[in-house]
Amino acid sequence: MEGDRAGGPAAADLRRDMAAARAACERRIAQGRERTAAAASAFRGAILSARSLAEHSVAHREKLNSLKDQLRGLEAGLAEALSTQLKKESECKLTSESISNATATNEQLRGLLLDQRARRDEFANVISHQLQAIEALEANVDVMGKKNLDEAIMWYNKFLGFRVVAGEGVKFVFNKVDMQSPDDEYSFCIKVNKDEYSLIQCIPLLKDTEELVKDLNRTNDLFKFVRTMRARFQAAGINGVHPATSFCTDTSSTPISSPPAVSVDTTSEGTTNQSRTRSRSKNKDLHAKRGASPLTSVSSTRRSPRFAAADAGSMH
């Protein structure tokens, strides 16, 4: 009893709070029930309205299908009528169109004929001017090429003591190889037979020339071969080997064919002018690179053995 008296006010407040909370929950529950009932009523009304709309749509669809069938029939009739009308109109216009087309074709052909004649005359004039320009350019190139070639030959002779002598084969002669004896002449002679090189003379005699000739026939790089031989001569001079007449074994029997020409057409001797023109253009580059070795400058161009040897012979 004393405990109930001590907690009496607090218990009363708790009971009042719980009663207030219960009343609030009951009110919210009642409100939720009312909202649910209203929503259910609205949903039923919506269903009824949708059902009514669906029934109306079905009825309208049937009417629409009927109208579509009627429209198709009318379109078919209209198409048939238009087809008949177009056929009659085309038959009426056929003769006049044929005459008009024939007249237009004749006029067009006449215009094309005049245009082709005018173009023919124009092209003839252009070709004539181009030929004149080409002839003038070729004449200028021949003059400048000969001048540059002469300067290149003088450069070879002056700084490398290099010259070429034509005979049974093509003989390459070097001096200024040995600085102790700059007047000593080192030389070798190669011969070309059926696009195949052979070494027929070497002064002084060098070792492993057969391998060099095989490599020459395989690569067709004559300028590399000449540079290599000069380097071998220099090495021989340093080792105390001086020029003395000696003949190398003829390597013409070595069955190694020279590859076909890459940059010069060798189908006939009549193409010599083309090869000389290309040689002149190379000599222009050589003349521009005077600070470098000439044999190094021209080694990048691969030529046919026949024309390379012929040009080398003509340099003397």
Side-chain angles (χ1 to χ4, degrees), residues 187-204:
S187 64
F188 65 90
C189 183
I190 61 173
K191 184 178 181 180
V192 181
N193 185 17
K194 295 181 180 179
D195 280 350
E196 184 174 302
Y197 293 102
S198 60
L199 184 65
I200 60 177
Q201 188 182 37
C202 181
I203 303 175

Side-chain angles (χ1 to χ4, degrees), residues 172-244:
F172 297 84
V173 182
F174 302 92
N175 56 29
K176 301 181 182 179
V177 173
D178 187 359
M179 294 296 101
Q180 302 298 327
S181 302
D183 294 331
D184 289 348
E185 290 189 347
Y186 297 73
S187 64
F188 65 90
C189 183
I190 61 173
K191 184 178 181 180
V192 181
N193 185 17
K194 295 181 180 179
D195 280 350
E196 184 174 302
Y197 293 102
S198 60
L199 184 65
I200 60 177
Q201 188 182 37
C202 181
I203 303 175
L205 181 65
L206 299 176
K207 297 180 180 180
D208 300 328
T209 56
E210 292 83 358
E211 295 298 326
L212 293 178
V213 174
K214 288 181 180 180
D215 183 69
L216 172 61
N217 283 315
R218 183 175 63 254
T219 63
N220 198 33
D221 194 344
L222 178 61
F223 303 106
K224 177 183 176 183
F225 179 78
V226 175
R227 291 199 312 273
T228 304
M229 290 295 292
R230 189 177 190 279
R232 294 289 182 91
F233 286 148
Q234 287 177 329
I238 292 173
N239 294 329
V241 179
H242 298 286

Side-chain angles (χ1 to χ4, degrees), residues 81-99:
L82 290 174
S83 176
T84 303
Q85 182 181 0
L86 292 174
K87 183 178 180 180
K88 291 181 178 180
E89 289 178 354
S90 63
E91 290 176 353
C92 293
K93 295 180 180 179
L94 182 60
T95 303
S96 59
E97 288 178 356
S98 298
I99 296 173

